[in-house]
Amino acid sequence: MVVAAALVDGDGRVLVQQRPQGLPMAGLWEFPGGKVEAGELPEAALIRELHEELGITVEHACLAPATFASEPLGGRHLLLLLYALRKWSGTVEARHATALRWVRPVELHRLEMPPADRPLIGLLEALV
């Protein structure tokens, strides 16, 4: 299972990050997040991942479950849980990604994104 966040700023833009070289799907744009470790709650995993990847602090109460995607991935199956997030502490920085971009949800259609992220765009357009 994988968790991700749609960070939404005051202008209704969503944060995406570019996967670095050397990783599968390098160069694609994705929502920040990562794998849920064994015994870890999804929300705890997302709070940890956002701190590691972006350097921000997130309170559990600020994570709003938004939607999910279910996608075959090679010989495995990927379940992606997406949370909406409008409040965090700290300044967003690209600690592991090649780049960060704040975009309007409609602009996500023009970005190259992993297959599991693409079905989430429509919901974000309705949410933001």
Side-chain angles (χ1 to χ4, degrees):
M1 182 181 341
V2 175
V3 289
L7 277 74
V8 182
D9 72 4
D11 293 328
R13 297 175 303 168
V14 177
L15 182 74
V16 288
Q17 63 184 12
Q18 191 173 37
R19 291 182 63 84
Q21 295 302 314
L23 290 182
M25 297 185 266
L28 298 185
W29 293 91
E30 66 181 357
F31 301 108
K35 293 179 184 171
V36 178
E37 302 295 336
E40 191 174 35
L41 294 174
E43 296 82 3
L46 186 53
I47 290 168
R48 175 183 51 75
E49 288 283 351
L50 293 174
H51 184 41
E52 290 172 5
E53 291 184 2
L54 303 175
I56 61 174
T57 302
V58 175
E59 297 294 325
H60 183 277
C62 296
L63 293 173
T67 190
F68 72 94
S70 178
E71 187 75 30
L73 186 63
R76 303 179 335 210
H77 183 263
L78 175 71
L79 179 62
L80 170 62
L81 306 178
L82 183 71
Y83 292 79
L85 178 62
R86 294 179 182 269
K87 183 179 175 186
W88 58 88
S89 299
T91 303
V92 172
E93 59 181 281
R95 290 186 170 180
H96 298 290
T98 302
L100 300 175
R101 283 171 91 179
W102 290 97
V103 298
R104 302 231 174 265
V106 69
E107 296 173 61
L108 293 169
H109 292 288
R110 292 193 294 263
L111 296 178
E112 288 188 54
M113 299 182 81
D117 288 35
R118 296 208 67 76
L120 307 173
I121 297 171
L123 175 88
L124 286 176
E125 287 179 295
L127 265 179
V128 176

